[in-house]
Amino acid sequence: MMKKVLISALIAALPGVAMADAKSDEIVRLKAQMQKLQQQMAELQKAVEAATADKPAPAASAAASGDDANAELKERVAGMELKVDRLNTAANEGPIAGLSITGYLDPTYIYNRAPNSAGFQFLNHQNAYAYSNSTFGDVYLDIKKTFGVGPTAPSAEITIMPNRGSGNTLLDGSSGNNIINTAVINFPLSDTWSVNAGLMNSFGGYEVQQSNQMVTLTHGLLYDFSDPGSYVGAGFAWSHDVWAWKFLLANEQYRTHANSQAFNGTRSNNTPTATARVDYTWSSALDLGWSMNAGRQTLPGTTTTGSGYGYQGSAPGPYSNYFFTEADASYTLGDVQYNAELDYGQQQRAAWNGGNAVWYGASLLGHRKWMTETVGKMGATLRYDYLNNSKNGGGGGGIGLGGNGADGTNGFGVSPSCWAAYQAGGPACNGANRQALTADLLFFPTDQLTLKLEYRHDWASENVFLRNDGSYRKSNDLIGAQAVYTF
């Protein structure tokens, strides 16, 4: 009888365990729990059969009691089987099957020397993209639904980033009213081939957009101003063994709508952009990558009412040929990480003085983690960036210049004093070449929480950083702190 009571108690406890797991979003753990429950039920059924095969009690009352216990035990086992079947159906066929919702929050504090500003940046709506106010200080949600199981199961994935994502800062003229950051359909054709379509980030560079995957607070110069942005299009991907490559045919970058805008009666830009990337996994630690982009893009400074095109109105049309290529390497082994990137890009007649815009640069990053007795796990990062943008007064890529030929926030273009002298008959002006040195300390109190402290020094070859007193200088400094909580 004691054995039967213990078995009954175990059976009574099992439904609570199953229901607790059913409430979790971790479908993989749920399936593992169900398998365990099924195994336990099989063992319990054997116990019931063994108990039934025992000798009946000599007293009639004891026999009746034993029969009642056996009947109750069988009823509970049957109930458990029904619950496990329901959980299994919900996990594989229900509305939450294959659904995952992840993301992070990253409130950030920034002191910016040039404008003499300081304060927290979090959920503040601002659609002007700058290195001091890019993809941090926001809420990031990644919603993914997989239809089926296995490597050939199709999926749909949407990332939402209301105030810092591509929809707010870059797409369709930075209108600032689009909370969608990416939206991608993935349809595998086999274990190696898949078709992709939607709004996705470019393939260039070693940096990622998400703060919880970065080992610095701010992005590098190449990510912000050299590498292409987001694309809407369709393409395919292939991977096998140590090789992987993908190809996309899309609108010109930053355009979610059809390229149907016409300037002053001209033909719209219906030339697609082709972009591709190849990766070679040299070893388990080292990845070598290369990407390219080619197409036609709208010239900066072009308006629907102007008499010409480009910054100076000297281009014959509103669009011009665009080409970009880069090579990058990533080495990750244990707590050590190294990254490197080389960029080159050009766009015809997109420079400030009306000539061809050309830019090229390099980025190097080193990161290491270690354990300490006082604060636990921590890390340090050092990054150096160089971006040459001097030709024809600067411009091109992700660099946009103002009416005086300078971007005083990000430190690009010609110095206002040189531009004034040029208009008075002086020599042509060079655009600013940019460099940046960034140092970060990182702390990892928990698996979900990362704290970052950053000092960044930016400098240029020309006086292009606008100070709060109206003057222009060659350098600027940032100090930042960030808390990234991943869920």
Side-chain angles (χ1 to χ4, degrees):
M1 285 302 297
M2 181 59 67
K3 180 178 181 181
K4 294 177 181 179
V5 171
L6 291 175
I7 293 175
S8 299
L10 177 59
I11 289 294
L14 289 175
V17 175
M19 292 305 295
D21 283 347
K23 294 178 181 179
S24 73
D25 293 329
E26 302 178 6
I27 301 300
V28 175
R29 292 181 57 189
L30 181 62
K31 291 180 178 179
Q33 181 68 17
M34 287 190 297
Q35 291 177 352
K36 184 178 179 181
L37 290 175
Q38 289 172 334
Q39 181 180 359
Q40 289 175 335
M41 283 191 300
E43 294 175 354
L44 288 171
Q45 286 176 326
K46 291 180 180 179
V48 171
E49 294 172 358
T52 306
D54 289 343
K55 276 188 174 183
S61 59
S65 176
D67 292 339
D68 292 341
N70 289 336
E72 182 181 358
L73 190 58
K74 291 179 179 179
E75 183 178 350
R76 290 183 178 180
V77 169
M80 274 299 300
E81 288 180 335
L82 181 60
K83 289 179 180 179
V84 169
D85 290 340
R86 288 175 178 174
L87 288 174
N88 189 52
T89 301
N92 292 284
E93 303 175 11
I96 65 170
L99 179 65
S100 67
I101 301 177
T102 58
Y104 63 82
L105 297 85
D106 62 334
T108 305
Y109 182 91
I110 293 288
Y111 167 74
N112 192 341
R113 180 185 178 190
N116 194 25
S117 65
F120 287 97
Q121 294 183 183
F122 187 59
L123 299 177
N124 54 307
H125 186 82
Q126 184 172 347
N127 58 341
Y129 191 95
Y131 81 92
S132 56
N133 186 32
S134 59
T135 63
F136 49 81
D138 202 13
V139 174
Y140 182 95
L141 288 177
D142 187 321
I143 305 169
K144 184 175 182 179
K145 173 77 171 178
T146 302
F147 303 91
V149 295
T152 58
S155 65
E157 185 173 12
I158 299 172
T159 64
I160 297 174
M161 204 173 185
N163 296 295
R164 296 293 187 275
S166 297
N168 185 73
T169 58
L170 299 173
L171 299 178
D172 301 324
S174 303
S175 61
N177 298 317
N178 187 345
I179 67 171
I180 302 299
N181 182 59
T182 62
V184 182
I185 300 168
N186 179 47
F187 192 88
L189 302 176
S190 67
D191 292 346
T192 57
W193 286 92
S194 64
V195 175
N196 304 284
L199 167 64
M200 59 196 78
N201 291 327
S202 76
F203 302 157
Y206 69 81
E207 281 198 66
V208 295
Q209 182 187 51
Q210 298 92 322
S211 294
N212 63 342
Q213 298 181 33
M214 294 173 58
V215 292
T216 57
L217 193 159
T218 60
H219 288 287
L221 291 176
L222 302 191
Y223 179 93
D224 282 338
F225 305 109
S226 176
D227 296 339
S230 300
Y231 287 97
V232 168
F236 50 83
W238 176 88
S239 63
H240 179 69
D241 198 17
V242 298
W243 289 97
W245 63 278
K246 49 189 175 181
F247 174 83
L248 184 71
L249 203 62
N251 297 348
E252 64 174 289
Q253 59 178 316
Y254 310 134
R255 297 292 191 271
T256 59
H257 56 73
N259 294 314
S260 58
Q261 184 179 13
F263 298 94
N264 304 324
T266 63
R267 179 176 63 85
S268 63
N269 181 19
N270 56 13
T271 302
T273 291
T275 179
R277 180 177 177 89
V278 177
D279 282 277
Y280 174 70
T281 304
W282 184 283
S283 67
S284 60
L286 179 61
D287 178 85
L288 304 177
W290 171 83
S291 69
M292 59 77 63
N293 300 70
R296 288 176 64 83
Q297 290 190 181
T298 304
L299 287 170
T302 294
T303 66
T304 57
T305 58
S307 58
Y309 307 101
Y311 285 120
Q312 306 305 321
S314 59
Y319 314 104
S320 68
N321 293 335
Y322 169 93
F323 175 77
F324 172 84
T325 187
E326 64 85 27
D328 57 79
S330 298
Y331 179 88
T332 305
L333 183 62
D335 292 330
V336 175
Q337 174 182 335
Y338 298 108
N339 296 99
E341 180 180 349
L342 295 173
D343 281 14
Y344 175 83
Q346 64 175 11
Q347 185 178 356
Q348 293 180 353
R349 299 181 292 277
W352 170 248
N353 70 2
N356 294 343
V358 176
W359 64 97
Y360 56 89
S363 179
L364 298 172
L365 180 146
H367 171 75
R368 185 179 182 86
K369 297 184 180 74
W370 66 90
M371 289 295 298
T372 66
E373 295 183 359
T374 55
V375 297
K377 193 172 186 178
M378 62 180 298
T381 306
L382 188 65
R383 183 184 63 208
Y384 170 76
D385 301 312
Y386 172 77
L387 184 57
N388 186 300
N389 189 231
S390 62
K391 188 171 183 178
N392 294 324
I399 302 166
L401 305 178
N404 64 348
D407 178 357
T409 300
N410 297 305
F412 287 98
V414 302
S415 68
S417 59
C418 182
W419 180 244
Y422 173 75
Q423 290 180 309
C429 300
N430 290 325
N433 296 324
R434 286 277 278 106
Q435 299 180 72
L437 186 63
T438 305
D440 285 76
L441 279 178
L442 295 87
F443 303 90
F444 308 92
T446 68
D447 291 339
Q448 289 76 36
L449 180 61
T450 301
L451 305 177
K452 302 178 186 178
L453 299 175
E454 178 173 293
Y455 169 73
R456 172 169 172 161
H457 179 67
D458 286 75
W459 67 100
S461 59
E462 308 290 334
N463 290 308
V464 286
F465 284 102
L466 177 61
R467 296 292 182 94
N468 65 322
D469 61 1
S471 65
Y472 285 83
R473 303 292 179 86
K474 288 186 177 181
S475 65
N476 188 33
D477 297 279
L478 293 182
I479 298 176
Q482 182 184 58
V484 185
Y485 191 85
T486 304
F487 55 89

